[in-house]
């Protein structure tokens, strides 16, 4: 892992730095590059615009590491309200949650019950519930919650991270559930015995997992979603989908709001199923630092705002 990436990821966990930077206007302005605004309505309006351009969206309220059950219940109620609004506005929008935002660390059982309520409401709203993957120490718990939710509701998917050495085995263990999997490269600071430190190994792992997902998609055993902005990877995946006779409508490409926006539209106009993940809310510091770490050149964007 590059030095700049590692420093930025360590900084993303600093409460002190969060307090110093969050209130600075230049930093707020820079973060806005990756989010339409802090309010839910900003995200819903952006989802409406994407829908007009033939793209779906995925909404997520920023926040993580909640330990109090009362606070977690507020997060659950917030998302129940989001699903109401998605249904009322007839938006082609999904929802993505972080389990630590729903109090996974405080009470796993409480978290499971909240996920089940959200999955039920998403089903009613003809939406879909995605579960993000966080640091490697949460993977077992996240997959456990996913298995319990998927046993009761069809419209639930989970994210897997290609950089983790364990992911091929995790994928195999999920296949009997006919899962929906969002494959990403991975955004956290992990030790080398847990995650591949070199980008080229992560890319190779990503493509291998993508091939496996497409093979299973051809047999309707999995709904694959590729969460990446790596255009050459997307091209290879699309070619492999054709080779494995997977209909273009059977897989989706998801990208983050504000990253490669022109390419998102171009991909959709060429017949791919594209969704944009739109983040909103005030707890954007750790998340924004991860976006900087993905492309340390983004730090220049922040510095330009200072000037
Ligand atoms: C829909 C979606 C959901 C995700 N969910 C999770 C999750 O649950 N857990 C998790 O660990 N990670 C998640 N991620 C983040 C992911 O793990 C990667 O960190 C991130 O997508 C960057 O990797 P990449 O696949 O785009 O490829 P890279 O090879 O890193 O990037 C390819 C190209 O995309 C552009 N790019 C990538 N990132 C940025 C950026 N921040 N700013 C500007 N340009 C950029 C650059 O041009 C770069 O050359 C998610 C990503 C997406 C798109």
């Amino acid at each position: 892992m590059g030095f700049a990436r590692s420093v930025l990821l360590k900084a993303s966990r600093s409460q002190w730095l969060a307090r110093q930077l969050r209130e600075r206007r230049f930093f707020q302005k820079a973060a806005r590059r990756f989010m339409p605004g802090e309010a839910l309505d900003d995200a819903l309006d952006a989802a409406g615009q994407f829908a007009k351009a033939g793209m779906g969206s995925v909404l997520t309220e920023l926040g993580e590491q909640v330990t109090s059950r009362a606070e977690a219940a507020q997060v659950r109620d917030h998302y129940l309200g989001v699903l109401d609004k998605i249904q009322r506005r007839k938006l082609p929008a999904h929802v993505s949650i972080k389990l630590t935002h729903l109090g996974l660390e405080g009470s796993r059982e409480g978290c499971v019950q909240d996920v089940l309520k959200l999955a039920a409401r998403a089903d009613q709203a003809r939406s879909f519930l995605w579960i993000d993957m966080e640091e490697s120490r949460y993977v077992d718990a996240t997959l456990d919650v996913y298995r319990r939710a998927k046993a009761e509701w069809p419209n639930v998917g989970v994210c897997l991270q290609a950089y983790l050495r364990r992911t091929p085995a995790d994928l195999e263990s999920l296949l009997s559930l006919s899962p929906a999997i969002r494959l990403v490269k991975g955004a956290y600071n992990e030790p080398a015995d847990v995650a591949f430190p070199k980008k080229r190994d992560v890319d190779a792992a990503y493509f291998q997992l993508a091939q496996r997902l497409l093979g299973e998609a051809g047999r309707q055993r999995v709904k694959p979603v590729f969460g990446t902005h790596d255009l050459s990877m997307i091209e290879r995946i699309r070619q492999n989908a054709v080779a494995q006779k997977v209909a273009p409508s059977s897989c989706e490409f998801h990208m983050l709001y504000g990253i490669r926006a022109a390419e998102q539209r171009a991909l959709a106009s060429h017949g791919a199923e594209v969704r944009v993940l739109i983040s909103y809310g005030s707890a954007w510091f750790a998340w924004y630092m991860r976006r900087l770490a993905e492309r340390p050149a983004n730090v220049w964007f922040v510095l330009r705002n200072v000037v």
Side-chain angles (χ1 to χ4, degrees), residues 9-190:
L9 287 177
K10 282 207 178 96
S12 74
R13 285 280 169 244
S14 163
Q15 298 296 324
W16 178 83
L17 205 60
R19 278 195 301 278
Q20 299 304 309
L21 290 176
R22 227 175 14 216
E23 303 304 320
R24 305 287 162 103
R25 277 193 69 78
F26 70 86
F27 205 65
Q28 291 170 355
K29 221 170 124 191
R32 285 294 289 268
R33 179 185 167 195
F34 297 118
M35 57 196 291
E38 289 192 4
L40 169 61
D41 280 338
D42 297 328
L44 291 165
D45 291 347
Q49 293 301 321
F50 286 124
K52 284 186 194 148
M55 290 185 280
S57 46
V58 183
L59 306 184
T60 191
E61 189 197 32
L62 294 166
E64 46 203 279
Q65 316 274 343
V66 164
T67 48
S68 112
R69 199 77 296 276
E71 216 183 306
Q74 277 174 14
V75 174
R76 175 204 62 211
D77 291 346
H78 170 81
Y79 277 121
L80 290 171
V82 174
L83 287 160
D84 286 345
K85 289 196 171 180
I86 286 175
Q87 188 173 27
R88 230 176 297 136
R89 290 200 191 191
K90 297 190 172 61
L91 288 171
H94 296 174
V95 159
S96 202
I97 52 171
K98 280 191 175 23
L99 295 187
T100 69
H101 199 196
L102 281 171
L104 177 72
E105 286 191 290
S107 157
R108 188 181 305 186
E109 195 47 39
C111 180
V112 169
Q113 294 310 318
D114 286 347
V115 169
L116 290 173
K117 283 192 185 109
L118 290 173
R121 186 68 193 93
D123 187 64
Q124 233 179 15
R126 292 172 184 274
S127 182
F128 198 94
L129 185 70
W130 285 101
I131 301 178
D132 286 4
M133 191 58 81
E134 303 175 64
E135 283 104 325
S136 58
R137 64 181 188 274
Y138 301 118
V139 174
D140 283 327
T142 303
L143 296 183
D144 177 45
V145 174
Y146 177 63
R147 285 189 180 94
R148 289 189 56 190
K150 188 70 176 79
E152 293 196 33
W153 296 100
N155 57 324
V156 196
V158 70
C159 176
L160 291 182
Q161 298 153 323
Y163 68 1
L164 293 185
R165 296 177 188 275
R166 60 176 286 172
T167 294
D170 287 337
L171 174 57
E172 295 307 318
S173 78
L174 292 173
L175 285 177
S176 62
L177 302 172
S178 297
I181 305 281
R182 179 217 286 156
L183 182 64
V184 303
K185 290 189 185 173
Y188 296 87
N189 200 15
E190 300 288 357

